[in-house]
Every structure is written in structure tokens, then in C-alpha cells.
Amino acid sequence: MFYSVIIPVYNRPQEVDELLESLTQQTYTNFEVLIVEDGSSDKCDHIVPKYQDKLKITYFFKPNTGQGFSRNFGFDQAKSDYFIVFDSDCIIPSHYFQAVEDYLKDNPVGAFGGPDKAHESFTAMQKAISYSMTSPFTTGGIRGNKKHYGTFHPRSFNMGISKDVYEKVGGYKITRMGEDLEFSMRIIKAGYQTALIEDAFVYHKRRTSLSQFYKQLHFFGRARINVGRFYPEEVKLLHWFPALFTLGFLSLPLLYFIFWPLAAMGLGVYLLFLAVNFSSSLAKNKSIKVAILSMATSFTQLTAYGVGFLKELVKPSTKTK
């Protein structure tokens, strides 16, 4: 099968270089690559020529419209029966396309996705962030786990759709603020099956500092409410957990003055949460430094998402495109 890889990029030439280098290492090579430069000032047009002899690659520059609509632009140029979207901060393991090919031969689903993992070259902070973004203690098992919560919704850092889906369902209707969730929900509601291909994972670099991570997760919290404006039934009890986690933590000082034993019990719950994440990360990463940082990233993840969720919840009900 022939695949089209769509990579929207905005001011990330170094990331694109690393991503393209990983694509040259694929064991299955029947794919094209479309780089969609979304109005960047720091362009990657000087990176692409390095790979023209190694990949079937095409570079496009367009005015800035956001990542969702840039992916649509790429879909319109694609020549295959399956379109695959990667974020520019991903590194693709050499077996990725072979894993996808092997799965789709027997399971021709409408949309699919894969997990994300931390590469051995990542910094300790990046590994800690990767842990928090994939741990069942912080995500409830909804992000790329085999036993995930509910129907699997592919996320566009690592997502594939059939050409038929694009032609019948359309592409992204919103360009940011939960655009991939809205797209996945629309695909599922149209009757298409989705699949998690466990072996089709990517190494996702994500953010490199707690402050950047906070901003990203704050945005994710807002995005869940924005998606709920399109599909109210998709804001479930599980998605409220970070907000409740945040409100509970903020209420501890007040609770101390009202009834301090209850505040002490509450504090104990939060300390237990940190200890569990430390132990889980240590078992996974075999690094005390990463495990310590994982406590900070897990706490940051839930509070940042919770604050964003609550702030967007009280805003006027307007759909952000």
C-alpha cells in the first residue's frame, strides 16, 4: 500500500530535520512526504533538499491558518489511499510503516493511531513529561494504551485516515483547540472504525520545560471544553478529574482552618499520588532523576489541565475555530 505523510510545521526547522532523518530509516518505503509550512518566519525550506534523493518529498509554503487547516491542505495534495499525520516534534522508529502495513492488510479501518514513547536520547525532563502523558495515573488510560478508556480516538501527532474518510467526512473543521479530537469524534460518528496499532508508536519530544508543559496542558484543558461545545456528550466524568484534583488542592488551606484533620487527610492523598507516580516512573524509566521529575510533571499536568478546563468552562459558549 502507498501512504502519504503530511507534516504541518511552524518555525521548527531543526525538528523537521530530525523527523525526516528518521523517515529515511524506514524498512517499508512505499510512501511520500508532504511538508506543509504554515506561514513560518523560520522556514525549513533549506532542510528539505537534503532529503530529496532519499525520500519522495514535496515542500509547500502557505499563509498561516493553524495546524488543522494545514493538514487539510496536505490531504488535498496527497496521492495515496491512506494519509498519515505526524507532528514535527516526532521521531519515527524504523518499523513504523511496516507495522501499519501489516495491520491494515487484515484490518482496513477508517482511522488509526499509535502510542507515543520517550526515546533514549530525550532529556530527563522530556522523559518525565512523556511518562506523565502516557501514565494511567494521570490520563486514566485514554492516551494510546491497549486497554484504553472507551472508543479509541486517534490524536494527530500520530494519526492515519483513509482517503475515503477524507472524501466523505471531510477534514478538520477547527484548526486548533481540540481539532484532532473533534475530527476523530466526527469520523466515529460517521460509522468508521478506529484502531490503536500498538507497534506503530512514535517518539514524541513534546515540551522541554515545566513552564512550556504547563502552557500546553492548560491549552488541552481548554480544548476539551471547546470540543464539548460541538459534542456535549464527549465531556465525561473522567475529563473532570483534573479540575476536581485542582480544586481539591486549592481548597486545602481553607479546609485546614475549618477542620484540620480533614485537610491533613487530603494532603496525604496528594502525597500518595506523588509517591505512586515516583514509583511507577522509576520502574518504567530506571532513573531516580526522571522519577523525581515525574512527580513534578504529573502534578503540573493535572493542575494545568484543570485550570484550563475550568477557565474555559466559565467562558461564554462560543465554538473556537
Side-chain angles (χ1 to χ4, degrees), residues 262-282:
L262 189 58
M265 289 176 58
L267 180 60
V269 170
Y270 285 92
L271 292 175
L272 178 61
F273 168 79
L274 295 178
V276 168
N277 279 277
F278 175 87
S279 300
S280 176
S281 178
L282 183 61

Side-chain angles (χ1 to χ4, degrees), residues 17-33 47-58:
D17 196 5
E18 294 174 343
L19 172 52
L20 292 178
E21 177 59 35
S22 71
L23 290 176
T24 67
Q25 307 300 317
Q26 295 298 305
T27 57
Y28 185 95
T29 59
N30 196 21
F31 60 88
E32 64 172 344
V33 180
I47 300 293
V48 173
K50 291 170 53 178
Y51 297 96
Q52 287 179 332
D53 293 336
K54 302 176 183 179
L55 297 167
K56 302 181 187 74
I57 188 168
T58 309

Side-chain angles (χ1 to χ4, degrees), residues 124-125 128-129 132 210 288-298:
M125 179 60 75
I129 288 173
S132 296
L210 275 181
I288 292 178
K289 182 177 181 180
V290 174
I292 292 173
L293 289 172
S294 294
M295 292 191 291
T297 56
S298 296

